[in-house]
Amino acid sequence: MSADVTWTVRVDRQLCQGSGICAGTAPEVFVLDEDRARPRADGVPPREVVLDAADMCPARAITVEDGTRVIGPRPD
């Protein structure tokens, strides 16, 4: 992958339960803010841990896009 490729990460704060699993899994990407998660930045470098965090979210509140399609959470 090119060094300038980024993924877009979004957290639906209406769905987020504030479990903190994402922040515990990828603290460089997610932070808890007022008992809800949010991404630290809109664009993040492609890393498996970002998809892992989206997969582990109990509320399925995290969406990861690669610029053309939704890639996370991955299908069960």
Side-chain angles (χ1 to χ4, degrees):
M1 269 188 204
S2 174
D4 59 348
V5 173
T6 60
W7 288 347
T8 301
V9 179
R10 294 187 177 89
V11 176
D12 183 327
R13 290 178 61 90
Q14 296 296 324
L15 293 177
C16 180
Q17 299 171 352
S19 72
I21 292 172
C22 59
T25 302
E28 65 283 358
V29 177
F30 300 96
V31 63
L32 288 180
D33 182 19
E34 297 181 17
D35 296 329
R36 297 289 186 257
R38 67 170 174 81
R40 291 183 181 272
D42 291 332
V44 300
R47 296 183 46 223
E48 188 73 17
V49 71
V50 178
L51 294 174
D52 291 343
D55 293 344
M56 288 188 268
C57 176
R60 306 293 272 184
I62 300 170
T63 305
V64 182
E65 298 176 14
D66 71 357
T68 60
R69 62 193 167 96
V70 174
I71 57 173
R74 296 171 278 203
D76 294 331

